[in-house]
Amino acid sequence: MQDFLQLSKAEAGQGVTEAAGAGYAVVSSHPLATSQAQRVLQAGGNAFDAAVAGAAMLCVALPHACGLGGDCFAMVHDSSKNEVWSLNGSGASPQALPPDLSSSQLGLGPLSCGVPGMVGGWHAIHQRFGHSTWASLIEPAARLAAEGIEVCDDLAQAFRLFDARVRRDTGLGKLFLVDEQLPVVGERLLQSPLSRSLQAIADNGPQALYQGTIGQSICQVLQAQGGSMSLDDLSTYEPIWSHPLRSKYRGLTVNVAPPNSFGLFMLLQLLALEDTDVQEQGLLSSGRLALLMRAARTSFAHGLSYVGDPSHVVSPQEALSPVAAQALREGMRSISPARSVSKSQGTATISVVDKAGHAITLIQSIFKPFGAMVADAATGVILNNRLAGFHPQSGHPNSAGPGKRPAHTLNPVMVTNGGRLKYLLGTPGGSGQTITLTHVLSALVDLKLSLRDSIAAPRWSMDLAGGLLIEPGLAEGVAAGVPAQLREQGLDVQVAVGERFFFGSAECIELADDGRRIAVADDRRDASCAAGN
């Protein structure tokens, strides 16, 4: 790949951090989570224990991105049976959700909150696969919340961008304002209410949230502001275990979470690309980028009616049929229209593989930064705004309704080769998750790049209106002519400066043929990785 090797680090995209070991590997969205997962593994816990402990730590380190008021999805590999499972830890809308809500009401505020499924998802993983005690996995996060964390760049930037909105909500203000100021990078943030809630969950299990005082307090705060969530909605919550949604790409099996996850959109992109000459295109060529862009646009258009509450949409296998594949390929030959997408800084991931080969990719979120912009100061819980994922058109399979799970951007991915686990892939980035991971997997498989180089390479994404964005590395050096070449093909791209959050932060693990576990953390955000023997 000469066009890649000639690039300087600045031109190539972003830096990455890599760790490799013969025993285990961890990669996550924050060093505190990576370190805690590593400690659990070194103390004898398995990959599932480590992921739950790291996920709890992410809630303390990145409260704008994920927390007890959010959701999760996971892909799980049980090496003892060589099986891959999908966990849907997303929540449904309240049963008393009013009809005919506007997009703005569903998008932000007390009526935008779905039942928080993350804690239930953690517990389901632990009950089925964990070895360590539940309390031992949650208590370290509770202690750290009380002791305080050093504010990282991602959290500080969220405070800067959403200063006015954070101040507007009484609960958020009580949680984060100190002497009328929001914390900046390096300052210490104490989260005593969150610490108490985490300790209650450590002591009493998920029922502390779903049936106890935490849930009661959350519902009171929402209802006081006009929300409709009740303790009955919380107490009846159950996560969903299922087989993954699968498709082949160049002989590999790509496993994603079924709807309501956006995972289908990644499979559709790969299906559209398989009949192209993307393998013959250079990494930074306009030809390759054009194929990736067309594949994404036509896949979002084609798959939209299949992604929603599992009980309200047609089987996603229909979208992957030979007839559908032909429609995708025809769409690739035209310029698909732009569609609005969701930008999100409110997501964090953790992936772990252990000595026994057990593995998990877990992704969790409150969706937009600070979720619904509604927090319960007594419990430290920031509520999600996941009902923004409903389609605005009445009668659409993904339209809003009581007790429905909305379409969900979270997209954990596992790739197997001949039945053997090969890659764990995850990234934050809203709708751009499937775009980022398709870019990474194509570079790995089509161009035979290393995991490190596939993640570091500059990439493309979409803005909120569906407009096409490219990183500066795709408009500089040997790639300087790329923007003009794409525009000549009818793809009106813009160079994104200072918009790193559109491009995610790929956090991935490779199980190499020589037995090593290779973890790579993308420096586009505060990700980190670790590995050992």
Side-chain angles (χ1 to χ4, degrees):
M1 295 299 120
Q2 288 298 313
D3 57 351
F4 179 76
L5 295 176
Q6 293 175 28
L7 295 178
S8 68
K9 179 179 178 181
E11 290 172 325
Q14 300 291 320
V16 299
T17 305
E18 180 178 305
Y24 66 85
V26 181
V27 62
S28 85
S29 295
H30 195 278
L32 289 171
T34 299
S35 296
Q36 184 58 34
Q38 188 177 26
R39 281 192 286 270
V40 170
L41 291 169
Q42 292 171 340
N46 64 18
F48 313 113
D49 297 323
V52 170
M57 201 65 77
L58 286 171
C59 297
V60 179
L62 301 171
H64 68 293
C66 61
L68 302 182
D71 293 332
C72 72
F73 279 79
M75 298 299 297
V76 172
H77 178 259
D78 177 4
S79 66
S80 66
K81 299 180 180 178
N82 197 28
E83 293 177 342
V84 178
W85 290 94
S86 174
L87 174 82
N88 183 337
S90 70
S93 59
Q95 289 291 343
L97 187 75
D100 303 321
L101 293 175
S102 67
S103 294
S104 61
Q105 288 174 305
L106 289 169
L108 208 63
L111 288 166
S112 70
C113 311
V115 171
M118 184 190 69
V119 174
W122 292 350
H123 195 253
I125 293 166
H126 178 260
Q127 288 290 98
R128 186 167 180 176
F129 297 109
H131 287 170
S132 305
T133 65
W134 170 257
S136 71
L137 303 179
I138 308 301
E139 283 177 345
R143 288 196 298 271
L144 187 67
E147 294 166 1
I149 60 161
E150 187 175 287
V151 173
C152 66
D153 181 64
D154 287 352
L155 176 55
Q157 181 165 208
F159 281 137
R160 289 195 302 271
L161 291 173
F162 298 96
D163 182 291
R165 287 187 175 179
V166 170
R167 293 173 184 274
R168 197 176 303 157
D169 179 68
T170 301
L172 287 171
K174 287 182 178 178
L175 292 178
F176 297 121
L177 286 172
V178 179
D179 296 328
E180 297 303 315
Q181 298 299 315
L182 292 171
V184 298
V185 172
E187 289 189 347
R188 199 149 200 81
L189 173 64
L190 302 176
Q191 300 175 84
S192 298
L194 177 60
S195 174
R196 292 191 293 271
S197 292
L198 283 166
Q199 189 60 54
I201 290 168
D203 293 339
N204 304 306
Q207 56 265 35
L209 170 62
Y210 295 106
Q211 299 174 25
T213 57
I214 300 172
Q216 292 171 351
S217 185
I218 290 169
C219 292
Q220 288 171 1
V221 167
L222 288 172
Q223 291 171 10
Q225 298 185 39
S228 56
M229 189 179 298
S230 71
L231 196 59
D232 285 343
D233 295 312
L234 296 176
S235 64
T236 55
Y237 174 73
E238 292 287 344
I240 302 172
W241 284 107
S242 68
H243 293 291
L245 185 63
R246 296 185 172 104
S247 184
K248 291 284 189 179
Y249 187 67
R250 315 288 190 208
L252 300 177
T253 300
V254 183
N255 299 267
V256 302
N260 52 319
S261 166
F262 267 31
L264 174 64
F265 292 129
M266 182 174 177
L267 298 188
L268 291 173
Q269 289 170 67
L270 295 171
L271 184 61
L273 289 171
E274 188 143 28
D275 196 39
T276 71
D277 64 352
V278 69
Q279 293 169 296
E280 301 170 19
Q281 304 288 335
L283 175 69
L284 305 186
S285 70
S286 61
R288 178 172 184 266
L289 287 167
L291 289 172
L292 291 169
M293 290 172 179
R294 288 194 173 100
R297 280 192 165 181
T298 193
S299 297
F300 277 103
H302 176 75
L304 198 60
S305 62
Y306 295 92
V307 178
D309 188 294
S311 63
H312 288 77
V313 296
V314 175
S315 169
Q317 291 294 345
E318 182 179 300
L320 298 167
S321 68
V323 172
Q326 183 60 34
L328 280 170
R329 288 159 189 159
E330 291 175 0
M332 287 281 285
R333 290 191 282 271
S334 63
I335 304 297
S336 302
R339 289 181 175 270
S340 60
V341 297
S342 300
K343 173 188 176 185
S344 174
Q345 291 168 243
T347 300
T349 76
I350 183 166
S351 294
V352 185
V353 60
D354 65 22
K355 291 181 180 180
H358 297 309
I360 178 172
T361 294
L362 187 150
I363 182 166
Q364 57 192 32
S365 171
I366 53 174
F367 198 25
K368 297 296 177 66
F370 304 104
M373 292 289 174
V374 177
D376 175 15
T379 62
V381 175
I382 303 171
L383 280 305
N384 70 81
N385 67 322
R386 275 294 168 185
L387 303 195
F390 281 128
H391 195 281
Q393 179 183 334
S394 177
H396 188 278
N398 184 40
S399 61
K404 289 181 68 176
R405 285 176 162 91
H408 216 293
T409 55
L410 298 188
N411 175 48
V413 180
M414 282 188 173
V415 180
T416 58
N417 184 11
R420 185 179 72 84
L421 186 61
K422 182 64 176 174
Y423 299 113
L424 289 69
L425 308 177
T427 181
S431 302
Q433 290 177 36
T434 66
I435 293 171
T436 292
L437 296 186
T438 297
H439 167 97
V440 170
L441 188 59
S442 173
L444 285 166
V445 177
D446 296 324
L447 304 184
K448 311 302 182 187
L449 294 185
S450 67
L451 182 60
R452 180 187 187 96
D453 289 348
S454 297
I455 290 174
R459 50 185 180 248
W460 76 281
S461 189
M462 293 184 188
D463 65 18
L464 299 183
L468 303 172
L469 301 175
I470 58 174
E471 290 187 312
L474 289 169
E476 300 170 350
V478 297
V482 166
Q485 293 163 9
L486 288 170
R487 290 171 189 136
E488 288 173 2
Q489 298 180 62
L491 296 163
D492 186 16
V493 299
Q494 302 296 321
V495 180
V497 178
E499 287 287 357
R500 64 190 172 109
F501 287 103
F502 280 111
F503 298 93
S505 173
E507 298 154 22
C508 308
I509 296 175
E510 176 183 2
L511 283 79
D513 293 340
D514 63 7
R516 290 180 304 147
R517 287 84 158 93
I518 303 169
V520 177
D522 189 338
D523 291 350
R524 286 171 176 86
R525 302 196 194 179
D526 289 314
S528 75
C529 59
N533 297 324

